[in-house]
Amino acid sequence: MSKLDSKIPEGDLEQKWTKYRSTIALVNPANKRSLEIIVVGSGLAGASAASSLAEMGYKVKVLCFQDSARRAHSIAAQGGINAAKNYQNDGDSTYRLFYDTIKGGDYRAREANVYRLAEVSANIIDQCVAQGVPLAREYGGMLSNRSFGGTQVQRTFYAAGQTGQQLLLGAYSALQRQVGLGNVEMLSRHEMLEVVTIDGKARGIIARDLVSGKLERHFGHAVLLCTGGYGNVFFLSTNAMGSNVTAAWKAHKKGAFFGNPCYTQIHPTCIPVSGDHQSKLTLMSESLRNDGRIWVPKKKEDAEAIRAGKKKANDIAEEDRDYYLERRYPAFGNLVPRDVASRAAKERCDAGFGVNKTGEAVYLDFASNMKYKYGKQEAIKKGITNPTEKQLHELGKEVVKEKYGNLFDMYKQITGEDPYEVPMMIYPAVHYTMGGLWVDYNLMTTVPGLYALGEANFSDHGANRLGASALMQGLADGYFVIPYTIGAYLSNEIRTKAIPTSHPAFEEAENKVREQINKFFAIKGTKSVDHFHKRLGKIMWDKCGMARNESGLKQAITEIQQLQKEFWSDVRVPGSADEFNPELEKAGRVADFLELGELMCQDALHRRESCGGHFREESQETEGEQQGEAKRDDANFMYVAAWEFKGPNSFELHKEELKYDVIKVSQRSYK
């Protein structure tokens, strides 16, 4: 009998959520005051959930490993947030957003969850506007929209190139209001290191005060993990350096199944790697693909000359440029989904057409749109007849600066080149993880009382996330889903009094954490934590990155297991446990990444198909128009892979079958 129960409500897809939230069990206001909820993580999902639950009357405790919730990695989401408002009157609808998301995820997501996400998307925009989030507006005052990959409508709301930051400030304000009212206890610079279970239910956590080093016990009737993704398993990624998998991984080892861990997203629009000195990569927003055209030289000798420094991008004539996305995918052009754009860039660079010194970069060029689209529009507005090329450039530059200025400034600061004058150079990099803790329709993991929200769960994006949908999911989960669904569980917990943290389960969990910390210091090895993290990252990128194959994945598993042994015998962690010690923090996180990396390779190895961000070289179309594209195997792999931890280097696979009652499954095509 399957251990997975998705708890998807019966009935028509369009009515599932409406009917479910109208009939779900409730907790009356008086009882809410006696129920305690722990929220781990204070980014968009965590801040929105905590503020909403506190507003409802629950006692909420929030843990943030930064010094402020304003520093959550959610601020890095620059381009926008999707919502089916149809302000452009271009044919958008709840159904179309639902369809685009399912198709974008290569038919590997749950219909019910994705439809709910599309359904509540419009409410998110209203909520954020009410909070004062300064979303961009048209001249007449209407909220503005722009295009993102994988869609043919404009449904992405934005605030210049800092949408995530502005949305986070809105959620943060709501959270701080509840802190000020005394409804939320905020614990900054705290990291969760263990889940406490009593009689099979999540009843609290063990956390470490990152400033003093003290271990703390916290009770909760329910625990919400809102801790983001695990892209830093690759070492180099667009994630903040502190982003990690520890909270989710500790939950996994306590019984929470891990869903689709091999589904990682490679973002096509990142500043290329410049050397071994880097600790992270910088994302250039997908919104740039609205007005930027991606190309490489048509002639290999031109690419070689550019790499040798003998030619520059502007030396290549228009007829000698290969706008390869427009050529290969005419229906979507530069706005194909991220996995498609990333693999196309890799293919051109592997073929010898890359344009930086390493040969791993393509151009993102704004020149033509800057002059002939925006420049001409501005000239007409200002009554300038017969503008010169230089005038068109300057007029268009004003418009582009207004839409993307901070992104252009960031690129110039990092690379030293002015993208208003020369094309940007970009290359794919690890960005988002579609996999995460398996959750049911209520967002509960396989451990009762333990929930996962936002990027920490697997639920909404299938094998590939469309751009501008991460912010949508995080806020949907926090503002509009968990406030309803948590009641189904807590309505049965009102007789459970607060359990004292002197309970043996808390003591056992704390001792387990302390034991691992002491083990780190006892090793007294010769290699730094970063030494092992970089080696793991190279294994993962080379053998479980943009493309995977059977022999490479098998090698990766063997290499990671060997690296684990080296780590636990030769890592050096300086300092002590009872102080501020970033190296100790990193050691715990890298220990978890080593275990997760092995599971990711196991998952990628077992899934003998290509879908979305998971591209098996053995599974691609070999002929016709679709040659080189991902080849799914729906007969054998139309399921969520949910892995159960069974012990060191041992995981058991469980399958949640995916059924599509409304959408017709077909080969994904953007041509």
Side-chain angles (χ1 to χ4, degrees):
M1 185 176 178
S2 174
K3 295 184 179 181
L4 300 174
D5 180 4
S6 60
K7 295 186 172 64
I8 297 172
E10 297 292 327
D12 294 340
L13 184 66
E14 295 85 352
Q15 296 300 317
K16 282 184 192 293
W17 177 238
T18 301
K19 184 176 180 182
Y20 185 66
R21 69 180 185 180
S22 299
T23 56
I24 201 169
L26 300 175
V27 180
N28 80 49
N31 287 333
K32 284 174 184 169
R33 291 193 289 270
S34 65
L35 292 170
E36 302 180 40
I37 300 172
I38 296 173
V39 179
V40 184
S42 53
L44 280 181
S48 58
S51 57
S52 298
L53 294 169
E55 183 78 37
M56 295 169 71
Y58 294 108
K59 294 169 64 177
V60 180
K61 187 179 289 185
V62 178
L63 277 79
C64 167
F65 73 72
Q66 305 278 14
D67 54 359
S68 167
R70 288 175 298 175
R71 298 193 64 190
H73 186 60
S74 300
I75 67 169
Q78 303 154 331
I81 177 171
N82 288 331
K85 283 286 199 182
N86 195 31
Y87 282 170
Q88 306 298 316
N89 197 29
D90 55 1
D92 202 10
S93 64
T94 296
Y95 182 86
R96 195 175 292 276
L97 174 51
F98 155 67
Y99 174 80
D100 287 344
T101 305
I102 291 282
K103 178 184 176 183
D106 219 350
Y107 305 96
R108 290 293 178 265
R110 276 193 205 132
E111 270 194 342
N113 283 67
V114 178
Y115 193 88
R116 176 175 65 186
L117 176 65
E119 195 176 349
V120 305
S121 66
N123 298 338
I124 298 170
I125 304 304
D126 296 339
Q127 173 88 3
C128 293
V129 169
Q131 289 174 335
V133 175
L135 295 171
R137 293 179 181 271
E138 303 289 358
Y139 180 76
M142 292 290 289
L143 292 175
S144 181
N145 291 119
R146 55 190 178 199
S147 299
F148 256 60
T151 73
Q152 293 178 306
V153 297
Q154 295 185 71
R155 66 161 66 100
T156 304
F157 295 78
Y158 62 97
Q162 49 183 252
T163 313
Q165 182 175 2
Q166 297 301 329
L167 292 173
L168 183 64
L169 287 172
Y172 170 77
S173 299
L175 175 61
Q176 287 301 115
R177 176 174 178 270
Q178 295 302 321
V179 172
L181 291 171
N183 299 330
V184 171
E185 180 182 356
M186 188 75 193
L187 299 173
S188 60
R189 304 299 292 149
H190 279 67
E191 182 169 27
M192 185 200 108
L193 295 178
E194 188 60 275
V195 176
V196 178
T197 57
I198 299 174
D199 297 329
K201 295 181 178 181
R203 292 301 190 194
I205 62 170
I206 304 298
R208 180 172 179 267
D209 182 325
L210 297 179
V211 177
S212 68
K214 179 185 176 185
L215 295 182
E216 300 177 359
R217 306 174 184 183
H218 299 280
F219 164 79
H221 289 89
V223 177
L224 277 56
L225 301 184
C226 310
T227 50
Y230 49 87
N232 275 353
V233 68
F234 292 88
F235 186 71
L236 285 179
S237 81
T238 66
N239 286 210
M241 288 183 67
S243 299
N244 63 83
V245 77
T246 290
W249 195 251
K250 299 305 184 189
H252 175 56
K253 294 176 81 169
K254 266 296 178 74
F257 292 4
F258 215 102
N260 298 332
C262 79
Y263 288 165
T264 51
Q265 181 165 84
I266 313 296
H267 198 295
T269 319
C270 300
I271 296 178
V273 175
S274 58
D276 292 338
H277 62 282
Q278 285 180 276
S279 56
K280 78 175 295 293
L281 298 175
T282 303
L283 169 71
M284 300 310 294
S285 168
E286 182 174 311
S287 62
L288 296 175
R289 289 201 272 150
N290 271 278
D291 294 307
R293 300 178 71 194
I294 296 171
W295 64 274
V296 293
K298 286 182 180 178
K299 301 174 185 175
K300 197 169 287 188
E301 55 265 33
D302 282 342
E304 291 168 351
I306 290 171
R307 291 199 293 271
K310 296 176 181 177
K311 281 189 176 182
K312 297 185 182 299
N314 292 339
D315 296 331
I316 308 301
E318 181 70 19
E319 62 269 20
D320 292 327
R321 300 179 178 190
D322 177 15
Y323 295 96
Y324 59 88
L325 290 178
E326 297 171 33
R327 168 173 57 82
R328 290 179 59 176
Y329 308 101
F332 283 74
N334 295 296
L335 288 171
V336 292
R338 291 173 177 178
D339 59 318
V340 176
S342 293
R343 285 196 297 275
K346 182 179 187 296
E347 184 275 328
R348 287 291 78 196
C349 291
D350 288 351
F353 294 91
V355 294
N356 70 347
K357 290 180 181 179
T358 66
E360 294 186 333
V362 299
Y363 287 128
L364 178 60
D365 196 340
F366 288 80
S368 61
N369 274 336
M370 203 183 308
K371 284 192 290 189
Y372 304 121
K373 180 181 177 183
Y374 294 119
K376 283 186 176 180
Q377 288 176 6
E378 285 300 290
I380 292 169
K381 273 187 193 176
K382 295 181 178 179
I384 301 173
T385 56
N386 300 317
T388 64
E389 289 281 305
K390 185 176 180 181
Q391 281 180 307
L392 287 174
H393 176 81
E394 290 302 315
L395 290 166
K397 183 176 174 180
E398 292 177 24
V399 181
V400 170
K401 193 168 188 176
E402 184 179 339
K403 294 179 75 172
Y404 310 111
N406 62 312
L407 301 174
F408 277 54
D409 293 344
M410 185 167 65
Y411 182 88
K412 186 175 181 179
Q413 288 172 2
I414 292 171
T415 67
E417 294 190 330
D418 185 352
Y420 291 110
E421 306 300 330
V422 298
M424 291 182 180
M425 283 195 287
I426 58 169
Y427 193 71
V430 173
H431 177 57
Y432 187 89
T433 51
M434 285 73 67
L437 292 177
W438 184 92
V439 293
D440 62 20
Y441 191 73
N442 294 327
L443 305 183
M444 191 190 288
T445 69
T446 46
V447 176
L450 181 65
Y451 294 80
L453 283 66
E455 193 179 354
N457 72 36
F458 88 101
S459 68
D460 290 355
H461 306 296
N464 174 65
R465 177 176 67 77
L466 292 182
S469 288
L471 302 181
M472 177 174 62
Q473 188 208 344
L475 292 179
D477 286 355
Y479 282 138
F480 299 111
V481 178
I482 197 67
Y484 289 99
T485 61
I486 201 169
Y489 176 75
L490 291 179
S491 62
N492 294 314
E493 296 297 315
I494 55 177
R495 292 183 178 82
T496 302
K497 304 299 181 186
I499 299 172
T501 55
S502 58
H503 189 284
F506 280 91
E507 188 170 346
E508 180 185 345
E510 184 180 326
N511 289 338
K512 183 179 177 182
V513 171
R514 184 173 283 107
E515 185 181 314
Q516 174 161 312
I517 290 173
N518 292 337
K519 188 175 180 180
F520 284 133
F521 291 111
I523 295 170
K524 301 185 185 303
T526 62
K527 304 288 194 308
S528 70
V529 175
D530 279 348
H531 167 85
F532 292 98
H533 197 177
K534 286 180 180 180
R535 285 174 62 189
L536 172 64
K538 180 165 176 53
I539 294 169
M540 295 299 295
W541 178 251
D542 289 347
K543 298 182 172 71
C544 195
M546 252 194 291
R548 301 103 185 252
N549 59 59
E550 184 169 351
S551 62
L553 289 166
K554 287 179 177 177
Q555 289 173 20
I557 292 167
T558 300
E559 290 173 17
I560 292 170
Q561 290 178 348
Q562 179 58 40
L563 190 60
Q564 288 175 351
K565 293 175 183 176
E566 289 185 46
F567 176 84
W568 286 109
S569 63
D570 199 24
V571 72
R572 181 183 73 253
V573 181
S576 65
D578 55 351
E579 63 178 353
F580 173 65
N581 190 339
E583 287 301 304
L584 175 59
E585 295 173 37
K586 286 197 291 185
R589 295 166 187 172
V590 172
D592 296 329
F593 278 139
L594 283 163
E595 295 180 356
L596 168 69
E598 180 181 356
L599 177 59
M600 289 171 66
C601 292
Q602 292 277 15
D603 188 38
L605 181 63
H606 108 274
R607 190 171 281 278
R608 292 182 174 86
E609 66 162 353
S610 291
C611 56
H614 168 65
F615 190 78
R616 283 288 293 266
E617 292 174 352
E618 307 94 331
S619 299
Q620 53 183 301
E621 300 291 347
T622 57
E623 55 188 35
E625 280 192 4
Q626 292 294 102
Q627 185 174 352
E629 300 297 325
K631 186 178 182 180
R632 295 195 318 267
D633 181 355
D634 295 335
N636 294 303
F637 293 99
M638 185 77 84
Y639 59 78
V640 177
W643 295 87
E644 181 181 7
F645 181 78
K646 303 298 285 187
N649 310 112
S650 179
F651 308 92
E652 182 181 345
L653 174 63
H654 302 270
K655 301 176 182 179
E656 178 199 342
E657 183 183 355
L658 291 170
K659 296 179 181 178
Y660 292 97
D661 298 321
V662 175
I663 280 182
K664 180 183 178 182
V665 177
S666 61
Q667 183 66 22
R668 191 171 59 147
S669 174
Y670 292 94
K671 297 189 176 187

